[in-house]
Amino acid sequence: MRKMLNLSLLYFILAMVCGVFYREFTKINGYEGRTALAFAHVHFMVLGMALFLILALFAKSGGLTEQRSFRIFLVLYNIGLPLMVVMLIIRGIIQVLGIVPAKGADAPFQVLRDFPYCAGRCAGIFVRSFKRRITGMGKTTDG
């Protein structure tokens, strides 16, 4: 449970840093409009902080942290989410600075941006398996 709370705090701090960076970077460059930078803050806040607060509740009530599939989820998720946010930040900086990438140069950004979504989907599969295990914990097989 402690690990979940620490991860939640870490993602909260990262969300605040991303939010301040978005506000100040766009202000310094005189950019008015929506960029991918705006979503970095939200991704860390909701997908990072809120998720790990909820998982801390499940970790307290059951043996969630001892499950092998949960450890796999933790690794996948903690690689995928920061990578996704880094790609959002890079994309946002490019938008604010007005850089138009060449057609071929944009493809790696698309792949690197979409890979974390795949990691998140894989993590979601593990979350569903936790849900089945947790909801199945209280059931008895009385005949």
Side-chain angles (χ1 to χ4, degrees):
M1 182 176 135
R2 188 99 175 128
K3 185 181 230 178
M4 302 306 125
L5 293 175
N6 288 337
L7 282 170
S8 181
L9 178 64
L10 173 69
Y11 282 122
F12 173 76
I13 292 168
L14 290 173
M16 294 298 108
V17 169
C18 286
V20 170
F21 177 73
Y22 162 65
R23 186 188 68 202
E24 295 302 319
F25 188 70
T26 54
K27 190 189 313 180
I28 288 170
N29 288 293
Y31 188 85
E32 292 181 12
R34 202 87 165 149
T35 69
L37 283 173
F39 300 108
H41 164 76
V42 176
H43 276 71
F44 270 147
M45 188 64 77
V46 175
L47 297 177
M49 186 199 75
L51 177 79
F52 282 106
L53 283 176
I54 292 168
L55 287 176
L57 294 173
F58 287 122
K60 185 174 176 73
S61 67
L64 184 65
T65 55
E66 287 81 34
Q67 296 177 11
R68 181 178 183 270
S69 59
F70 181 75
R71 290 191 297 272
I72 294 170
F73 158 78
L74 215 58
V75 169
L76 278 176
Y77 200 80
N78 287 315
I79 290 171
L81 181 61
L83 182 60
M84 178 172 44
V85 172
V86 165
M87 293 313 298
L88 284 171
I89 291 170
I90 291 171
R91 172 64 86 188
I93 290 171
I94 289 171
Q95 289 171 339
V96 170
L97 296 178
I99 300 170
V100 180
K103 274 192 184 231
D106 197 37
F109 284 108
Q110 296 293 337
V111 171
L112 289 174
R113 189 188 71 207
D114 292 342
F115 167 74
Y117 284 108
C118 294
R121 289 290 184 187
C122 292
I125 292 168
F126 287 113
V127 168
R128 280 192 282 287
S129 71
F130 304 144
K131 184 179 175 186
R132 273 188 244 120
R133 288 182 185 148
I134 290 171
T135 56
M137 287 174 115
K139 295 181 181 177
T140 58
T141 55
D142 293 334

